[in-house]
Amino acid sequence: MKWISTFLHWVTSMRVLSLILGLLVCFLVYKRISWDSGISPLIQSDSQIKLYQTIQYKEKGIQNHECYSKNIEIDPEFRFYPFRYPWVYFIQDDGSRKECVFQYPTFFAQTFSLLPIPYRFLNGMVLLLYFFLTLGCVYVLRSVFYVRKVEILCLGAILFLVGYSISSAIEFSESIPSHIFLLFFFYGVLVLESAKKHLQITSFLAGVSGGISVFLRSESVIYIGILGLFVLISNRRKIIPLLKIYLPILIGFSFAVVLFGFYNFHEFGEIFGVRSKVSLNDFGRLHFSDRLHFFKEFIFGNTYRTGFLYYCFPMVLLIIISLIKLSLTQVQKLVIGVAFVSLVFVVLLSPYSQGGLYLGLRYTEFSYVLFSIFVISLLSIDEHFESKQWILLLIILQILLGFYHVKQNFKTIDFVKKYHEILQSEWRKFPEAPVVHLSTFDLLLISDSFLKKPHFIANKQSEFEVLETKFFNQGIPKFQVFVYDFKPPKDDNISDEFYNEWVNSKYEIESKFYKKISDSNTAGYRYMLWEKK
């Protein structure tokens, strides 16, 4: 119909696309600034641990892996260290004391610790890397799939920016750096598969990048493994020439794996770091029915989080139609095959549910990267918009749906930021008073308060009695108690035993040396101030 053609011609004009892209980038920057303003930057949940890792390396040196702790003389054995599973891991050191180490990849925190910037801007650095990742996707479209029309490249950039990868881009997370390295690895392979000449040094560096990505995010192993399997299958009749062509990538990948694996083994006794051991234990704990439950929630979502089909149904429909209707190149088939199979395997093999907040589609973000590259590459065969109206319509629908979901997710984060500021202000009232937590559920919004004052956990009365004795002996005049005032929700990722012992563990404190001065409720949390009798 003519009106559709007119609409597509207008919305895909360079002026409109440039305006949308510019406004989108400005919007993301604005939200990042607003979340990082105020009493403290919005750094929550897992991102907190990565922040503490970074600060530990910055202050103590990149070889000091011990958990960050303020005034460690109060609790040198980490008995009352507030963070437990899934954030920290205790290693028995020479049989005399336990060593506390954070379980997340050290290379991410070590690298960021070298940057001469205040920690308030670390979130902004990850968002900047997200923009670089977007440019990387555009470069792959241009150099591998010969997409030359600037309007189509802008459309691809917008499509990617509103994808669910944004959930990692707005956190202090190693996911985005990992995706950059992984994309460079895929670029090296796709260039070879498209029969273009490739410099050996570039292939070698692509292999190194793939190896690095594995140590940042373990799911990279699945993406690289599935890609390698597909390449072997498609070139099964010429294995020897294939090995010769891919030798620089294989050498680079092996070099990175051996180098970083040796470092991890030397430092932690695990080739892939502490995280791999924790994940393996969690993997063995789950039954296949649990993984099917996670898979169902990933596809359809649940009461609190959106599902993959709700987020991506225009893109999924476009992919299905293109597989049936279009004559695809070998490289396009490779990209979409790896994207789909890897997504299924990542979800089924992951021992964890797919993230929190509104966007619960974690761990599979790189599949969205590949899906985006694939659907935009469909416009490279014939770049006349009139002959590809159905492709453009579905891409634009996906962008609109992406805008909607990003907005919903940001509403949730704005809500979190509001209460985050309230909680931080309560701790700020008594900067010298340590904070005692009664449950690990209370730790999700500690943020940079942990860098300013000591926080401890006493999950039962007997533990509190030992802790308050330490306070008394250290001459601490007052402390705060902070606890969620309702029954905490149970996360699918934790066992019933852990939930009962560490999460649903609040109780009424009985103190020998201190008396309660105040007891108030704020934003669903209970605050108490205790002072020496």
PDB file of all heavy atoms in Angstrom, residues 298-326:
ATOM      1  N   PHE A 298      12.248 -17.889  30.825  1.00  0.00           N
ATOM      2  CA  PHE A 298      13.010 -17.076  29.880  1.00  0.00           C
ATOM      3  C   PHE A 298      12.173 -16.780  28.638  1.00  0.00           C
ATOM      4  O   PHE A 298      12.161 -15.650  28.139  1.00  0.00           O
ATOM      5  CB  PHE A 298      14.298 -17.801  29.480  1.00  0.00           C
ATOM      6  CG  PHE A 298      15.061 -17.099  28.387  1.00  0.00           C
ATOM      7  CD1 PHE A 298      15.878 -16.024  28.679  1.00  0.00           C
ATOM      8  CD2 PHE A 298      14.945 -17.501  27.063  1.00  0.00           C
ATOM      9  CE1 PHE A 298      16.573 -15.369  27.671  1.00  0.00           C
ATOM     10  CE2 PHE A 298      15.628 -16.857  26.053  1.00  0.00           C
ATOM     11  CZ  PHE A 298      16.444 -15.788  26.354  1.00  0.00           C
ATOM     12  N   ILE A 299      11.469 -17.767  28.138  1.00  0.00           N
ATOM     13  CA  ILE A 299      10.688 -17.590  26.911  1.00  0.00           C
ATOM     14  C   ILE A 299       9.444 -16.743  27.157  1.00  0.00           C
ATOM     15  O   ILE A 299       9.146 -15.814  26.394  1.00  0.00           O
ATOM     16  CB  ILE A 299      10.287 -18.959  26.327  1.00  0.00           C
ATOM     17  CG1 ILE A 299      11.543 -19.760  25.923  1.00  0.00           C
ATOM     18  CG2 ILE A 299       9.372 -18.768  25.118  1.00  0.00           C
ATOM     19  CD1 ILE A 299      12.373 -19.111  24.839  1.00  0.00           C
ATOM     20  N   PHE A 300       8.720 -17.028  28.230  1.00  0.00           N
ATOM     21  CA  PHE A 300       7.429 -16.376  28.447  1.00  0.00           C
ATOM     22  C   PHE A 300       7.415 -15.353  29.584  1.00  0.00           C
ATOM     23  O   PHE A 300       6.431 -14.631  29.747  1.00  0.00           O
ATOM     24  CB  PHE A 300       6.359 -17.439  28.726  1.00  0.00           C
ATOM     25  CG  PHE A 300       6.184 -18.422  27.608  1.00  0.00           C
ATOM     26  CD1 PHE A 300       6.654 -19.722  27.714  1.00  0.00           C
ATOM     27  CD2 PHE A 300       5.559 -18.040  26.420  1.00  0.00           C
ATOM     28  CE1 PHE A 300       6.503 -20.628  26.687  1.00  0.00           C
ATOM     29  CE2 PHE A 300       5.405 -18.939  25.389  1.00  0.00           C
ATOM     30  CZ  PHE A 300       5.874 -20.244  25.512  1.00  0.00           C
ATOM     31  N   GLY A 301       8.480 -15.288  30.374  1.00  0.00           N
ATOM     32  CA  GLY A 301       8.517 -14.360  31.489  1.00  0.00           C
ATOM     33  C   GLY A 301       7.712 -14.864  32.678  1.00  0.00           C
ATOM     34  O   GLY A 301       7.235 -16.000  32.693  1.00  0.00           O
ATOM     35  N   ASN A 302       7.564 -13.994  33.680  1.00  0.00           N
ATOM     36  CA  ASN A 302       6.735 -14.334  34.831  1.00  0.00           C
ATOM     37  C   ASN A 302       6.050 -13.068  35.339  1.00  0.00           C
ATOM     38  O   ASN A 302       5.984 -12.066  34.628  1.00  0.00           O
ATOM     39  CB  ASN A 302       7.575 -15.010  35.926  1.00  0.00           C
ATOM     40  CG  ASN A 302       8.734 -14.148  36.386  1.00  0.00           C
ATOM     41  OD1 ASN A 302       8.678 -12.915  36.339  1.00  0.00           O
ATOM     42  ND2 ASN A 302       9.802 -14.784  36.838  1.00  0.00           N
ATOM     43  N   THR A 303       5.575 -13.106  36.553  1.00  0.00           N
ATOM     44  CA  THR A 303       4.825 -11.965  37.091  1.00  0.00           C
ATOM     45  C   THR A 303       5.651 -10.691  37.125  1.00  0.00           C
ATOM     46  O   THR A 303       5.128  -9.581  36.940  1.00  0.00           O
ATOM     47  CB  THR A 303       4.333 -12.282  38.513  1.00  0.00           C
ATOM     48  OG1 THR A 303       3.590 -13.504  38.487  1.00  0.00           O
ATOM     49  CG2 THR A 303       3.444 -11.164  39.046  1.00  0.00           C
ATOM     50  N   TYR A 304       6.959 -10.829  37.322  1.00  0.00           N
ATOM     51  CA  TYR A 304       7.812  -9.655  37.543  1.00  0.00           C
ATOM     52  C   TYR A 304       8.687  -9.309  36.340  1.00  0.00           C
ATOM     53  O   TYR A 304       9.163  -8.180  36.234  1.00  0.00           O
ATOM     54  CB  TYR A 304       8.717  -9.893  38.766  1.00  0.00           C
ATOM     55  CG  TYR A 304       7.954 -10.349  39.984  1.00  0.00           C
ATOM     56  CD1 TYR A 304       7.955 -11.689  40.379  1.00  0.00           C
ATOM     57  CD2 TYR A 304       7.222  -9.432  40.733  1.00  0.00           C
ATOM     58  CE1 TYR A 304       7.245 -12.105  41.495  1.00  0.00           C
ATOM     59  CE2 TYR A 304       6.509  -9.838  41.850  1.00  0.00           C
ATOM     60  CZ  TYR A 304       6.525 -11.176  42.235  1.00  0.00           C
ATOM     61  OH  TYR A 304       5.817 -11.580  43.329  1.00  0.00           O
ATOM     62  N   ARG A 305       8.933 -10.268  35.458  1.00  0.00           N
ATOM     63  CA  ARG A 305       9.892 -10.041  34.379  1.00  0.00           C
ATOM     64  C   ARG A 305       9.290 -10.406  33.028  1.00  0.00           C
ATOM     65  O   ARG A 305       8.478 -11.326  32.926  1.00  0.00           O
ATOM     66  CB  ARG A 305      11.170 -10.871  34.615  1.00  0.00           C
ATOM     67  CG  ARG A 305      11.906 -10.502  35.882  1.00  0.00           C
ATOM     68  CD  ARG A 305      13.274 -11.143  35.945  1.00  0.00           C
ATOM     69  NE  ARG A 305      13.219 -12.573  36.182  1.00  0.00           N
ATOM     70  CZ  ARG A 305      13.317 -13.130  37.381  1.00  0.00           C
ATOM     71  NH1 ARG A 305      13.435 -12.374  38.457  1.00  0.00           N
ATOM     72  NH2 ARG A 305      13.280 -14.434  37.529  1.00  0.00           N
ATOM     73  N   THR A 306       9.729  -9.689  32.008  1.00  0.00           N
ATOM     74  CA  THR A 306       9.261  -9.976  30.660  1.00  0.00           C
ATOM     75  C   THR A 306       9.977 -11.197  30.100  1.00  0.00           C
ATOM     76  O   THR A 306      11.045 -11.589  30.585  1.00  0.00           O
ATOM     77  CB  THR A 306       9.504  -8.763  29.738  1.00  0.00           C
ATOM     78  OG1 THR A 306       8.868  -8.991  28.481  1.00  0.00           O
ATOM     79  CG2 THR A 306      10.998  -8.542  29.490  1.00  0.00           C
ATOM     80  N   GLY A 307       9.414 -11.809  29.076  1.00  0.00           N
ATOM     81  CA  GLY A 307      10.011 -12.976  28.452  1.00  0.00           C
ATOM     82  C   GLY A 307      10.583 -12.648  27.082  1.00  0.00           C
ATOM     83  O   GLY A 307      10.306 -11.599  26.500  1.00  0.00           O
ATOM     84  N   PHE A 308      11.372 -13.568  26.573  1.00  0.00           N
ATOM     85  CA  PHE A 308      12.048 -13.368  25.290  1.00  0.00           C
ATOM     86  C   PHE A 308      11.054 -13.148  24.158  1.00  0.00           C
ATOM     87  O   PHE A 308      11.228 -12.249  23.329  1.00  0.00           O
ATOM     88  CB  PHE A 308      12.941 -14.579  24.990  1.00  0.00           C
ATOM     89  CG  PHE A 308      13.594 -14.527  23.639  1.00  0.00           C
ATOM     90  CD1 PHE A 308      14.688 -13.704  23.412  1.00  0.00           C
ATOM     91  CD2 PHE A 308      13.108 -15.293  22.588  1.00  0.00           C
ATOM     92  CE1 PHE A 308      15.292 -13.642  22.162  1.00  0.00           C
ATOM     93  CE2 PHE A 308      13.704 -15.242  21.335  1.00  0.00           C
ATOM     94  CZ  PHE A 308      14.787 -14.418  21.127  1.00  0.00           C
ATOM     95  N   LEU A 309       9.994 -13.949  24.101  1.00  0.00           N
ATOM     96  CA  LEU A 309       9.024 -13.812  23.017  1.00  0.00           C
ATOM     97  C   LEU A 309       8.300 -12.470  23.076  1.00  0.00           C
ATOM     98  O   LEU A 309       8.000 -11.873  22.041  1.00  0.00           O
ATOM     99  CB  LEU A 309       8.015 -14.955  23.050  1.00  0.00           C
ATOM    100  CG  LEU A 309       8.493 -16.304  22.520  1.00  0.00           C
ATOM    101  CD1 LEU A 309       7.362 -17.320  22.545  1.00  0.00           C
ATOM    102  CD2 LEU A 309       9.049 -16.182  21.104  1.00  0.00           C
ATOM    103  N   TYR A 310       8.005 -11.999  24.287  1.00  0.00           N
ATOM    104  CA  TYR A 310       7.331 -10.708  24.411  1.00  0.00           C
ATOM    105  C   TYR A 310       8.251  -9.563  23.994  1.00  0.00           C
ATOM    106  O   TYR A 310       7.781  -8.529  23.522  1.00  0.00           O
ATOM    107  CB  TYR A 310       6.832 -10.510  25.844  1.00  0.00           C
ATOM    108  CG  TYR A 310       5.756 -11.485  26.231  1.00  0.00           C
ATOM    109  CD1 TYR A 310       6.020 -12.539  27.103  1.00  0.00           C
ATOM    110  CD2 TYR A 310       4.471 -11.375  25.709  1.00  0.00           C
ATOM    111  CE1 TYR A 310       5.035 -13.450  27.455  1.00  0.00           C
ATOM    112  CE2 TYR A 310       3.475 -12.286  26.054  1.00  0.00           C
ATOM    113  CZ  TYR A 310       3.764 -13.312  26.921  1.00  0.00           C
ATOM    114  OH  TYR A 310       2.786 -14.215  27.258  1.00  0.00           O
ATOM    115  N   TYR A 311       9.531  -9.751  24.207  1.00  0.00           N
ATOM    116  CA  TYR A 311      10.488  -8.704  23.840  1.00  0.00           C
ATOM    117  C   TYR A 311      10.815  -8.752  22.353  1.00  0.00           C
ATOM    118  O   TYR A 311      10.979  -7.709  21.711  1.00  0.00           O
ATOM    119  CB  TYR A 311      11.777  -8.867  24.658  1.00  0.00           C
ATOM    120  CG  TYR A 311      12.614  -7.602  24.758  1.00  0.00           C
ATOM    121  CD1 TYR A 311      12.726  -6.934  25.968  1.00  0.00           C
ATOM    122  CD2 TYR A 311      13.271  -7.072  23.657  1.00  0.00           C
ATOM    123  CE1 TYR A 311      13.474  -5.769  26.082  1.00  0.00           C
ATOM    124  CE2 TYR A 311      14.009  -5.906  23.751  1.00  0.00           C
ATOM    125  CZ  TYR A 311      14.114  -5.267  24.961  1.00  0.00           C
ATOM    126  OH  TYR A 311      14.843  -4.108  25.067  1.00  0.00           O
ATOM    127  N   CYS A 312      10.911  -9.928  21.803  1.00  0.00           N
ATOM    128  CA  CYS A 312      11.489 -10.090  20.463  1.00  0.00           C
ATOM    129  C   CYS A 312      10.572 -10.732  19.426  1.00  0.00           C
ATOM    130  O   CYS A 312      11.064 -11.210  18.404  1.00  0.00           O
ATOM    131  CB  CYS A 312      12.770 -10.925  20.566  1.00  0.00           C
ATOM    132  SG  CYS A 312      14.100 -10.151  21.494  1.00  0.00           S
ATOM    133  N   PHE A 313       9.266 -10.758  19.640  1.00  0.00           N
ATOM    134  CA  PHE A 313       8.448 -11.515  18.699  1.00  0.00           C
ATOM    135  C   PHE A 313       8.498 -10.963  17.268  1.00  0.00           C
ATOM    136  O   PHE A 313       8.459 -11.751  16.308  1.00  0.00           O
ATOM    137  CB  PHE A 313       7.002 -11.644  19.209  1.00  0.00           C
ATOM    138  CG  PHE A 313       6.106 -10.477  18.942  1.00  0.00           C
ATOM    139  CD1 PHE A 313       5.456 -10.328  17.729  1.00  0.00           C
ATOM    140  CD2 PHE A 313       5.893  -9.530  19.924  1.00  0.00           C
ATOM    141  CE1 PHE A 313       4.607  -9.260  17.491  1.00  0.00           C
ATOM    142  CE2 PHE A 313       5.049  -8.459  19.698  1.00  0.00           C
ATOM    143  CZ  PHE A 313       4.413  -8.315  18.470  1.00  0.00           C
ATOM    144  N   PRO A 314       8.615  -9.636  17.011  1.00  0.00           N
ATOM    145  CA  PRO A 314       8.764  -9.189  15.618  1.00  0.00           C
ATOM    146  C   PRO A 314      10.056  -9.714  14.990  1.00  0.00           C
ATOM    147  O   PRO A 314      10.071 -10.126  13.820  1.00  0.00           O
ATOM    148  CB  PRO A 314       8.779  -7.663  15.720  1.00  0.00           C
ATOM    149  CG  PRO A 314       8.124  -7.358  17.016  1.00  0.00           C
ATOM    150  CD  PRO A 314       8.517  -8.474  17.920  1.00  0.00           C
ATOM    151  N   MET A 315      11.130  -9.724  15.777  1.00  0.00           N
ATOM    152  CA  MET A 315      12.404 -10.221  15.272  1.00  0.00           C
ATOM    153  C   MET A 315      12.342 -11.724  15.015  1.00  0.00           C
ATOM    154  O   MET A 315      12.839 -12.219  13.993  1.00  0.00           O
ATOM    155  CB  MET A 315      13.517  -9.904  16.277  1.00  0.00           C
ATOM    156  CG  MET A 315      14.914 -10.282  15.801  1.00  0.00           C
ATOM    157  SD  MET A 315      16.176  -9.872  17.029  1.00  0.00           S
ATOM    158  CE  MET A 315      16.317  -8.109  16.791  1.00  0.00           C
ATOM    159  N   VAL A 316      11.693 -12.450  15.924  1.00  0.00           N
ATOM    160  CA  VAL A 316      11.550 -13.900  15.740  1.00  0.00           C
ATOM    161  C   VAL A 316      10.724 -14.194  14.485  1.00  0.00           C
ATOM    162  O   VAL A 316      11.075 -15.075  13.686  1.00  0.00           O
ATOM    163  CB  VAL A 316      10.888 -14.538  16.983  1.00  0.00           C
ATOM    164  CG1 VAL A 316      10.542 -15.998  16.721  1.00  0.00           C
ATOM    165  CG2 VAL A 316      11.807 -14.413  18.197  1.00  0.00           C
ATOM    166  N   LEU A 317       9.640 -13.458  14.297  1.00  0.00           N
ATOM    167  CA  LEU A 317       8.805 -13.629  13.113  1.00  0.00           C
ATOM    168  C   LEU A 317       9.585 -13.321  11.849  1.00  0.00           C
ATOM    169  O   LEU A 317       9.493 -14.058  10.845  1.00  0.00           O
ATOM    170  CB  LEU A 317       7.575 -12.715  13.215  1.00  0.00           C
ATOM    171  CG  LEU A 317       6.550 -12.810  12.077  1.00  0.00           C
ATOM    172  CD1 LEU A 317       5.974 -14.220  11.986  1.00  0.00           C
ATOM    173  CD2 LEU A 317       5.426 -11.797  12.298  1.00  0.00           C
ATOM    174  N   LEU A 318      10.373 -12.264  11.883  1.00  0.00           N
ATOM    175  CA  LEU A 318      11.191 -11.893  10.725  1.00  0.00           C
ATOM    176  C   LEU A 318      12.205 -12.981  10.400  1.00  0.00           C
ATOM    177  O   LEU A 318      12.418 -13.321   9.222  1.00  0.00           O
ATOM    178  CB  LEU A 318      11.905 -10.572  11.011  1.00  0.00           C
ATOM    179  CG  LEU A 318      12.915 -10.073   9.974  1.00  0.00           C
ATOM    180  CD1 LEU A 318      12.304  -9.999   8.585  1.00  0.00           C
ATOM    181  CD2 LEU A 318      13.463  -8.713  10.388  1.00  0.00           C
ATOM    182  N   ILE A 319      12.802 -13.551  11.411  1.00  0.00           N
ATOM    183  CA  ILE A 319      13.797 -14.610  11.194  1.00  0.00           C
ATOM    184  C   ILE A 319      13.141 -15.843  10.575  1.00  0.00           C
ATOM    185  O   ILE A 319      13.667 -16.433   9.625  1.00  0.00           O
ATOM    186  CB  ILE A 319      14.494 -14.961  12.526  1.00  0.00           C
ATOM    187  CG1 ILE A 319      15.382 -13.793  12.973  1.00  0.00           C
ATOM    188  CG2 ILE A 319      15.320 -16.231  12.384  1.00  0.00           C
ATOM    189  CD1 ILE A 319      15.907 -13.930  14.382  1.00  0.00           C
ATOM    190  N   ILE A 320      11.992 -16.231  11.099  1.00  0.00           N
ATOM    191  CA  ILE A 320      11.287 -17.414  10.580  1.00  0.00           C
ATOM    192  C   ILE A 320      10.909 -17.206   9.105  1.00  0.00           C
ATOM    193  O   ILE A 320      11.129 -18.090   8.258  1.00  0.00           O
ATOM    194  CB  ILE A 320      10.036 -17.711  11.430  1.00  0.00           C
ATOM    195  CG1 ILE A 320      10.452 -18.154  12.837  1.00  0.00           C
ATOM    196  CG2 ILE A 320       9.188 -18.806  10.770  1.00  0.00           C
ATOM    197  CD1 ILE A 320       9.285 -18.312  13.800  1.00  0.00           C
ATOM    198  N   ILE A 321      10.333 -16.053   8.798  1.00  0.00           N
ATOM    199  CA  ILE A 321       9.922 -15.774   7.412  1.00  0.00           C
ATOM    200  C   ILE A 321      11.129 -15.747   6.486  1.00  0.00           C
ATOM    201  O   ILE A 321      11.081 -16.283   5.364  1.00  0.00           O
ATOM    202  CB  ILE A 321       9.164 -14.430   7.334  1.00  0.00           C
ATOM    203  CG1 ILE A 321       7.849 -14.533   8.109  1.00  0.00           C
ATOM    204  CG2 ILE A 321       8.881 -14.046   5.888  1.00  0.00           C
ATOM    205  CD1 ILE A 321       7.094 -13.215   8.200  1.00  0.00           C
ATOM    206  N   SER A 322      12.226 -15.135   6.932  1.00  0.00           N
ATOM    207  CA  SER A 322      13.416 -15.042   6.077  1.00  0.00           C
ATOM    208  C   SER A 322      14.019 -16.415   5.795  1.00  0.00           C
ATOM    209  O   SER A 322      14.514 -16.674   4.694  1.00  0.00           O
ATOM    210  CB  SER A 322      14.456 -14.129   6.729  1.00  0.00           C
ATOM    211  OG  SER A 322      14.941 -14.694   7.939  1.00  0.00           O
ATOM    212  N   LEU A 323      13.973 -17.310   6.795  1.00  0.00           N
ATOM    213  CA  LEU A 323      14.490 -18.659   6.583  1.00  0.00           C
ATOM    214  C   LEU A 323      13.663 -19.428   5.554  1.00  0.00           C
ATOM    215  O   LEU A 323      14.188 -20.266   4.817  1.00  0.00           O
ATOM    216  CB  LEU A 323      14.516 -19.429   7.907  1.00  0.00           C
ATOM    217  CG  LEU A 323      15.535 -18.951   8.950  1.00  0.00           C
ATOM    218  CD1 LEU A 323      15.330 -19.688  10.270  1.00  0.00           C
ATOM    219  CD2 LEU A 323      16.958 -19.147   8.444  1.00  0.00           C
ATOM    220  N   ILE A 324      12.381 -19.125   5.514  1.00  0.00           N
ATOM    221  CA  ILE A 324      11.489 -19.806   4.568  1.00  0.00           C
ATOM    222  C   ILE A 324      11.501 -19.152   3.197  1.00  0.00           C
ATOM    223  O   ILE A 324      11.554 -19.832   2.167  1.00  0.00           O
ATOM    224  CB  ILE A 324      10.045 -19.822   5.121  1.00  0.00           C
ATOM    225  CG1 ILE A 324       9.990 -20.614   6.439  1.00  0.00           C
ATOM    226  CG2 ILE A 324       9.081 -20.420   4.102  1.00  0.00           C
ATOM    227  CD1 ILE A 324       8.658 -20.523   7.142  1.00  0.00           C
ATOM    228  N   LYS A 325      11.506 -17.831   3.177  1.00  0.00           N
ATOM    229  CA  LYS A 325      11.244 -17.083   1.953  1.00  0.00           C
ATOM    230  C   LYS A 325      12.487 -16.641   1.196  1.00  0.00           C
ATOM    231  O   LYS A 325      12.482 -16.563  -0.040  1.00  0.00           O
ATOM    232  CB  LYS A 325      10.393 -15.852   2.299  1.00  0.00           C
ATOM    233  CG  LYS A 325       9.886 -15.075   1.097  1.00  0.00           C
ATOM    234  CD  LYS A 325       8.950 -13.960   1.550  1.00  0.00           C
ATOM    235  CE  LYS A 325       8.429 -13.179   0.340  1.00  0.00           C
ATOM    236  NZ  LYS A 325       7.505 -12.083   0.750  1.00  0.00           N
ATOM    237  N   LEU A 326      13.581 -16.340   1.908  1.00  0.00           N
ATOM    238  CA  LEU A 326      14.752 -15.736   1.279  1.00  0.00           C
ATOM    239  C   LEU A 326      15.852 -16.755   1.019  1.00  0.00           C
ATOM    240  O   LEU A 326      15.948 -17.780   1.699  1.00  0.00           O
ATOM    241  CB  LEU A 326      15.301 -14.606   2.157  1.00  0.00           C
ATOM    242  CG  LEU A 326      14.370 -13.423   2.431  1.00  0.00           C
ATOM    243  CD1 LEU A 326      15.082 -12.401   3.295  1.00  0.00           C
ATOM    244  CD2 LEU A 326      13.900 -12.793   1.123  1.00  0.00           C
TER     245      LEU A 326
END
